[in-house]
Amino acid sequence: MPRRRLLVEDALGGRTLDRLVNTHCHSDHMGGNAALQRRHRCHTSVPVGEAPLIERWDEDALLLAYADQRAERFRVDATMAVGDRLGMGGIDWVAIGAPGHDTHALMFHAPRERILISGDALWEDGFGVLFPQLSGREGTFAETRRTLDSIAALDLRLVIPGHGEPFEAVDAALERAHSRLRAFEEDPARLARHAARVMLTFALLEKQRLPIAALPDYVERTGILRDINRRFLALAQQHFADWLVRELERARAAKREGDNLVPLITP
Ligand SMILES: [Zn+2]
């Protein structure tokens, strides 16, 4: 069983999952939906802007084939929009728009409990790759800033992010997110380099090894890496592949093992 589904089953402790709600539809968030639906027949909601992409299973817009990622097609039972209210776990939540990392993403705020489920809009250290900016969407930086400002305007005691542990030091996280955003805005190539590292790290975690000799071909075959390189970096394929290997080694995200690159971190 994939690790994420094991985590869900572990948290359920034998209970049935009635309801599945996605903040947005990247593979690392909705990749387990089909399996969870088969096992639990759970009612599944996605943000209203994502529903058409799921219905036509748009492998590019969902960053699947385009990013060399996979997810099993699933059924959407309902959509959610900004301002919608929903009860989960005995708590009342309100959906808040979170464009930036994903244009259609939502967050869920529990005003009484002062909790925010932030998805990939805010992590304790940063936020998810600003994919719309990489594909040339105007105003992504401004949208991201507005999303961070809308989080800052909430009275929160706890943020539950899409990656990492829940955290309480919200102001410090917002400060780090703002300074990262400023750095990307001043030098968009920096965002491109960051995104390329993240995408290769993610691929490596899934595959567990990549032959180093095949990487120049891989970075050209994988749409998102090819486009990042063409639009922002303009490196020769071999040079781009070599640079990525060095970067992942330097970040201690990967190491060479014989002729392969292998991950040093766990999903
Ligand atoms: Zn995401």
Side-chain angles (χ1 to χ4, degrees), residues 4-257:
R4 259 167 216 283
R5 215 183 111 206
L6 274 177
L7 289 173
V8 173
E9 296 300 343
D10 202 41
L12 286 169
R15 289 171 299 178
T16 298
L17 181 67
D18 293 325
R19 183 155 199 193
L20 177 56
V21 178
N22 290 124
T23 54
H24 64 296
C25 291
H26 287 150
S27 71
D28 54 333
H29 292 256
M30 56 66 169
N33 283 14
L36 288 168
Q37 288 183 337
R38 266 197 303 276
R39 181 167 167 85
H40 296 282
R41 302 183 182 284
C42 42
H43 181 274
T44 303
S45 313
V46 302
V48 65
E50 307 272 44
L53 312 182
I54 297 295
E55 266 148 38
R56 64 172 192 266
W57 203 248
D58 187 329
E59 292 260 338
D60 283 344
L62 293 168
L63 302 179
L64 293 173
Y66 179 61
D68 188 30
Q69 294 181 15
R70 271 149 293 277
E72 196 184 334
R73 209 164 173 164
F74 62 92
R75 181 193 74 245
V76 172
D77 297 311
T79 59
M80 285 166 315
V82 171
D84 282 358
R85 291 171 182 274
L86 64 161
M88 296 187 287
I91 294 176
D92 293 326
W93 304 84
V94 184
I96 298 177
H101 163 70
D102 181 296
T103 307
H104 311 294
L106 295 173
M107 305 182 285
F108 300 101
H109 177 223
R112 190 168 336 150
E113 287 75 10
R114 297 162 56 216
I115 303 172
L116 180 74
I117 296 173
S118 63
D120 291 348
L122 180 70
W123 300 335
E124 187 161 22
D125 189 13
F127 43 77
V129 170
L130 301 180
F131 291 111
Q133 171 66 28
L134 293 172
S135 50
R137 182 184 160 89
E138 293 282 325
T140 302
F141 290 132
E143 275 179 345
T144 306
R145 179 162 292 113
R146 277 199 297 277
T147 294
L148 293 176
D149 288 343
S150 73
I151 297 174
L154 304 171
D155 175 24
L156 296 173
R157 64 170 182 84
L158 186 73
V159 172
I160 304 173
H163 299 267
E165 296 292 319
F167 60 90
E168 294 174 358
V170 185
D171 289 348
L174 282 167
E175 220 167 280
R176 279 189 294 272
H178 272 295
S179 81
R180 182 162 300 193
L181 177 60
R182 271 194 303 275
F184 288 151
E185 221 167 1
E186 280 161 18
D187 178 12
R190 185 177 175 146
L191 169 65
R193 292 192 295 270
H194 166 69
R197 287 191 292 262
V198 168
M199 298 321 286
L200 188 63
T201 303
F202 194 93
L204 202 51
L205 283 172
E206 195 191 72
K207 296 173 198 302
Q208 288 296 304
R209 61 184 54 241
L210 276 166
I212 291 170
L215 277 175
D217 180 50
Y218 181 81
V219 300
E220 187 62 19
R221 226 175 347 105
T222 306
I224 193 165
L225 288 171
R226 184 187 56 231
D227 289 348
I228 287 171
N229 186 27
R230 291 220 177 116
R231 284 186 193 139
F232 296 92
L233 308 174
L235 299 171
Q237 263 170 265
Q238 181 73 51
H239 187 172
F240 185 37
D242 291 346
W243 171 80
L244 270 170
V245 172
R246 281 199 309 276
E247 285 288 299
L248 265 54
E249 285 180 312
R250 193 172 61 89
R252 307 204 55 73
K255 65 169 184 179
R256 287 165 201 264
E257 204 178 78

